[in-house]
Amino acid sequence: SEAGAASFNGAVTVGADLTVTGGDTTLGAAGDTTATTISTVTNTGTTVGKSLTISAGSTTTGSNNLNGGDLILASGGGDGTGTSSIQFKTKVSGTDAAAERMRIHTDGNVGIGTNSPGNLLHMAGADAYLLLQNTTDENGEGEAETRVLFGDHSGAGLAMIEGSHSGTADDTKGKFSVATNNGTSITTALTIDDTQKAV
């Protein structure tokens, strides 16, 4: 092998691992408008599809507290008012097709179930539910809590809604509370317990 750039005019097949020891890897040529795809082969018969893993660099284990490599997904930079997005697709059950499930729009809005999100996070679908689950196994009063916090420009909490366990028995009773900041701290203003009584 020789050091330096290699040029191939046509398809290249590598029968083992391919290692690039330095430098960037660029696909396509200037002026080429054809889309570029990186994919594993499509299997036939009863062989399942192979996974494709994209992994940033790791460091060896030890006591040096070294960072791992960041995984950066960047859509293409356009010109002027040009746009770009990042799209996530998965298979549609019962068909051989894949459909878009989530998109990061060119303006930074994230859409789940929509390709034109109208807010920072936009969820659309027949069952547009949001589930917050505390996975800690606990049943004390106010434990197993999940929260949505509303903050100002500095990140200070202005208000909060919370769901948590009600009582101390090992059961699924819950309570819901609304809290606001009284100028000193976020303080509970309203609580609805497992008997649906409001305090």
Side-chain angles (χ1 to χ4, degrees), residues 65-159:
N65 299 320
L66 300 175
N67 295 332
D70 295 327
L71 178 60
I72 301 171
L73 302 177
S75 57
D79 177 65
T81 58
T83 65
S84 67
S85 65
I86 298 179
Q87 302 164 27
F88 300 85
K89 300 181 179 182
T90 63
K91 182 186 179 298
V92 179
S93 180
T95 73
D96 293 332
E100 180 178 322
R101 306 301 189 184
M102 184 174 77
R103 171 182 298 228
I104 303 176
H105 199 267
T106 189
D107 58 8
N109 289 349
V110 177
I112 300 176
T114 175
N115 59 14
S116 55
N119 287 285
L120 193 59
L121 176 60
H122 182 169
M123 295 169 44
D127 299 316
Y129 305 150
L130 178 63
L131 172 63
L132 303 178
Q133 179 183 4
N134 187 325
T135 58
T136 304
D137 186 4
E138 55 189 11
N139 298 284
E141 175 67 26
E143 292 184 338
E145 69 277 7
T146 54
R147 299 172 176 170
V148 177
L149 181 66
F150 304 90
D152 67 5
H153 64 282
S154 69
L158 300 177

Side-chain angles (χ1 to χ4, degrees), residues 164-199:
S164 64
H165 186 262
S166 181
T168 58
D170 186 359
D171 54 30
T172 57
K173 291 182 178 180
K175 64 179 182 178
F176 179 79
S177 63
V178 177
T180 57
N181 196 322
N182 59 14
T184 302
S185 62
I186 294 182
T187 304
T188 300
L190 170 68
T191 298
I192 303 174
D193 65 15
D194 58 278
T195 64
Q196 283 73 55
K197 291 183 179 179
V199 179

